DNA sequence: TTTCAAATGTTACTATATAACAGCACCATT
DNA sequence: AATGGTGCTGTTATATAGTAACATTTGAAA
């Protein structure tokens, strides 16, 4: 999906959810979209400062939290970063593959795998929540 | 496994791997063992300072990195913390279930699930590395 | 006993994230 | 229009996490 299309889809999704994609949030989303792969909060902060003069960390973190909550971004804990959700509007659980060599990210549907894991966990009385699955490895280009 | 048993197993495992469980590393391991569930690096640092007077962050991070490398601890990225591996000597890939309500941790064998995921990823040309799988949810006690 | 490599100590710094409160914009009701 | 509430944003300060770079020690092999 191209950038404009993503923004449009984001608008629709926020409207559906009854939450507001404000100017600031949209600007932050655009800054994230402007990068390939994983983006760090402080990178977004720096970009935002270039565009608006000044900005403090909470401004960025709030917007990023909102976008994650709205299902538009995924937080990649292992890298302290964020990626654009490549399945906006259709999938709720992603299998996120991060290449440790080049940093590229690929998102697949994780629901089937998570169902299996859910059963395994349920056998221990553990109820796993809805979430993404992050795995690291080497992408096709970097496997050599 | 009790604490003493774990240390003994850790000794054996390090010897097998040809790496050294030095006094410092053992002390850090004991400090981690002294906690239930997830432990933070700076918590370990504080504990270490209580026991030895002074200690700086690199001291703790080096020891923790070593212990993770040796397969004795797992790093839990989502929580910026560490847990004791509950399958020392037998499993290399853990399915780590973290209860978001009480913070308790439960580690299962993840190899079968990861094999499936590995196949799914391989279909995209992605080779996932050996690793742990961290999932959050509610443990039996907290499900109500 | 010399010598090298690994481990640890030390200082300083960079990076990541949040608390707490202040101010503002919008809108709903009066 | 005034009132007041709610959610968003601004601002300051600080808490938490992690690493770079270099000095020093230690222990085992040559």
């Amino acid at each position: 999906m191209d950038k404009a299309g993503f923004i449009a889809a984001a608008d629709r999704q926020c409207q559906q959810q009854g939450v507001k994609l404000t100017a600031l949030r949209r600007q932050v989303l655009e800054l994230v979209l402007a990068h390939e792969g994983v983006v760090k909060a402080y990178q977004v902060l720096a970009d935002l400062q270039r565009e608006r003069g000044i900005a403090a960390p909470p401004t960025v973190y709030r917007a990023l939290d909102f976008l994650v909550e709205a299902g538009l971004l995924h937080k990649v804990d292992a890298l302290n970063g964020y990626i654009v959700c490549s399945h906006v509007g259709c999938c709720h659980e992603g299998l996120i593959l991060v290449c440790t060599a080049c940093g590229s990210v690929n998102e697949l549907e994780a629901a089937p795998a998570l169902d299996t894991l859910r059963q395994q966990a349920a056998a221990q009385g553990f109820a796993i929540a809805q979430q993404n699955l992050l795995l690291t490895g080497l992408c096709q280009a970097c496997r050599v």
Side-chain angles (χ1 to χ4, degrees), chain A:
Chain A
M1 192 186 299
D2 69 345
K3 198 170 148 175
F6 190 93
I7 297 281
D11 265 327
R12 282 194 301 278
Q13 179 147 330
C14 286
Q15 202 152 16
Q16 267 186 6
Q17 295 178 8
V19 296
K20 278 185 274 190
L21 188 62
T22 63
L24 172 64
R25 290 166 176 171
R26 177 188 305 253
Q27 186 176 12
V28 167
L29 178 56
E30 282 170 355
L31 290 172
V32 174
L33 280 167
H35 290 268
E36 283 297 313
V38 179
V39 193
K40 310 277 223 151
Y42 272 67
Q43 176 63 58
V44 175
L45 177 57
D47 294 346
L48 194 59
Q49 285 169 341
R50 253 196 296 95
E51 294 194 351
R52 314 199 329 162
I54 78 157
T59 300
V60 166
Y61 280 104
R62 283 175 192 143
L64 290 172
D65 287 349
F66 169 87
L67 295 168
V68 168
E69 190 66 24
L72 301 170
L73 301 182
H74 295 304
K75 180 149 184 17
V76 183
D77 289 315
L79 307 174
N80 294 323
Y82 298 82
I83 59 172
V84 174
C85 174
S86 47
H87 299 80
V88 167
C90 68
C91 103
H92 301 94
E93 298 193 302
L95 168 55
I96 298 169
L97 303 174
V98 182
C99 178
T100 49
C102 70
S104 71
V105 173
N106 190 1
E107 184 182 348
L108 310 178
E109 175 61 45
L114 273 170
D115 285 344
T116 307
L117 290 167
R118 212 160 250 131
Q119 284 173 21
Q120 187 182 353
Q124 312 288 317
F126 193 95
I128 73 181
Q130 181 166 310
Q131 67 202 280
N132 297 297
L133 215 51
L134 186 120
L135 294 172
T136 57
L138 293 176
C139 73
Q140 192 149 33
C142 294
R143 291 176 72 170
V144 184

